[in-house]
Amino acid sequence: MTKEQPANILEWANRSLDIRLWPTQAKLALETFGEWCPVCTDHHYWEHMPASGGWRVSGVGPAFAQRVTKNGMEMFLTHVALLEHGKCPKCGLERKQAIKTRHIQPIQEVLGFIGQRGGSTVLSVVLGTYLIHKLRQLGDIATAYGLIPEQQIEIAVIDDGGLGTLWDVLNEKIRHCLADDQPEDPSVVFIDKSLVVRRYSAGNPDQLRGVTRVAALIDTLAWIDADADEILAVLDNSLLTMRHESVDRDVPTPLLVALSSPRGNDDALARRLVQKAGHKNVLKCCLPTWNINPHHIRDDFAKELQTPNGRRDYAIDLS
């Protein structure tokens, strides 16, 4: 990572993580951190943007996939104005001003079903690492949020111990970009003396209690059977302090991210989406694979969609 700070989350993904987000992933990332300009962005495009960003031709293979992503993002960037270091370079609107006037909502949760091959893990990693990057810029994180100086703050990553891959990818990216010289414990990463990223098993909600958190990333929430609702309740309590203290402070909004492949209409993630209906500070999505992955169209899954499991896996029954 170069010494110059990335201007926004897309530059962070490209330059620091070597990740090229698809247009729909980019939109969700920009919404999460409020790094798009509501004045200069084409709102019709923003609301009705196709998964490809507006560009699609017939083709197959890696070279075709690269062209779809590259050209789709070029189209995306002609319609969407990005903030740079918190300010629109076109009209001068600042993020904090847009939040004050409610043109941008500070997002506390990112929830949604994304069909298989939809890049939910990649998006979660980009969101999580960018939040860590923003927190590191604060110096003493606890003091910046009005807490006891040098109090240790945690980011929790919860998984079921085998189904998802979020921790493995996140851990590798953090150690490469954000934290060197780590302890041998594979379930803990110390960013600095006041910020730790810790992996938890979903099977024991009690271990999550008693910690002040600034973020929680949940891997494949829809597929967690053991006490998923209790896990969410404990995480809500652990985020409450920093969410409260972030109001009226120029600090990142504490964040809960739960993006998952679908399971059914009554799993923990589905219930959470219903519970959070109407909450403006919750970013919700339900995206079939072809509505986020520009390398696929619905016809690619014609055979799979003839079966109940196929319709579930690619999120068609939940869209």
Side-chain angles (χ1 to χ4, degrees):
M1 185 172 60
T2 62
K3 292 183 179 180
E4 182 183 355
Q5 298 296 333
N8 49 56
I9 192 168
L10 299 194
E11 192 170 300
W12 167 259
N14 290 345
R15 200 176 73 194
S16 301
L17 303 180
D18 195 26
I19 289 174
R20 308 292 179 263
L21 292 176
W22 300 324
T24 303
Q25 289 176 317
K27 179 185 177 184
L28 292 169
L30 291 169
E31 284 187 282
T32 300
F33 287 93
E35 294 188 330
W36 64 287
C37 178
V39 174
C40 300
T41 292
D42 179 339
H43 281 264
H44 184 270
Y45 177 88
W46 182 257
E47 296 298 331
H48 304 285
M49 184 190 78
S52 63
W55 185 90
R56 176 87 189 178
V57 299
S58 298
V60 295
F64 166 69
Q66 290 173 10
R67 291 202 307 277
V68 169
T69 302
K70 179 177 182 293
N71 289 275
M73 282 306 299
E74 287 178 356
M75 180 71 75
F76 179 87
L77 294 173
T78 64
H79 291 279
V80 179
L82 310 185
L83 301 190
E84 296 181 3
H85 305 290
K87 183 176 181 179
C88 178
K90 295 183 178 180
C91 71
L93 178 70
E94 294 186 353
R95 179 181 179 275
K96 57 186 178 183
Q97 178 186 354
I99 290 175
K100 187 175 182 179
T101 58
R102 299 185 180 179
H103 287 94
I104 287 177
Q105 293 291 336
I107 298 298
Q108 294 184 351
E109 296 189 29
V110 182
L111 305 174
F113 291 110
I114 295 178
Q116 290 184 11
R117 304 184 209 170
S120 59
T121 296
V122 167
L123 180 56
S124 297
V125 167
V126 171
L127 298 180
T129 56
Y130 190 61
L131 177 62
I132 294 170
H133 163 71
K134 301 291 282 186
L135 291 169
R136 291 183 72 192
Q137 296 180 330
L138 300 176
D140 183 352
I141 297 169
T143 299
Y145 282 85
L147 305 180
I148 299 171
E150 299 187 1
Q151 177 180 343
Q152 189 173 86
I153 308 299
E154 184 182 273
I155 294 174
V157 181
I158 297 95
D159 61 33
D160 70 347
L163 184 63
T165 60
L166 174 57
W167 172 257
D168 294 333
V169 182
L170 181 71
N171 189 21
E172 188 274 328
K173 292 296 185 182
I174 290 175
R175 291 172 186 266
H176 176 70
C177 300
L178 293 162
D180 299 321
D181 192 24
Q182 290 297 312
E184 293 298 324
D185 187 342
S187 65
V188 179
V189 180
F190 289 95
I191 306 302
D192 55 36
K193 62 182 179 181
S194 64
L195 181 62
V196 62
V197 184
R198 193 182 306 273
R199 181 187 192 183
Y200 291 93
S201 169
N204 184 9
D206 288 341
Q207 67 184 332
L208 293 166
R209 300 182 189 277
V211 178
T212 300
R213 295 192 175 92
V214 70
L217 311 178
I218 310 176
D219 199 6
T220 59
L221 173 61
W223 295 88
I224 293 177
D225 291 316
D227 304 310
D229 292 312
E230 185 177 354
I231 289 171
L232 288 167
V234 173
L235 292 175
D236 282 339
N237 288 335
S238 70
L239 290 163
L240 188 62
T241 296
M242 298 197 73
R243 282 178 173 168
H244 175 76
E245 295 298 337
S246 68
V247 177
D248 297 327
R249 284 189 168 91
D250 189 17
V251 294
T253 302
L255 188 63
L256 185 147
V257 178
L259 298 173
S260 176
S261 59
R263 184 178 186 181
N265 291 309
D266 192 36
D267 56 57
L269 180 53
R271 292 192 295 272
R272 184 75 169 191
L273 285 164
V274 171
Q275 177 189 352
K276 295 296 181 177
H279 289 233
K280 293 184 177 181
N281 57 5
V282 178
L283 181 59
K284 298 176 285 293
C285 64
C286 189
L287 295 166
T289 303
W290 49 90
N291 283 355
I292 187 168
N293 184 336
H295 307 151
H296 288 292
I297 59 175
R298 178 174 175 148
D299 288 350
D300 293 340
F301 306 101
K303 182 177 180 180
E304 290 89 339
L305 295 180
Q306 294 177 12
T307 68
N309 284 352
R311 293 176 63 83
R312 176 202 68 196
D313 291 346
Y314 298 104
I316 186 62
D317 283 338
L318 299 170
S319 60

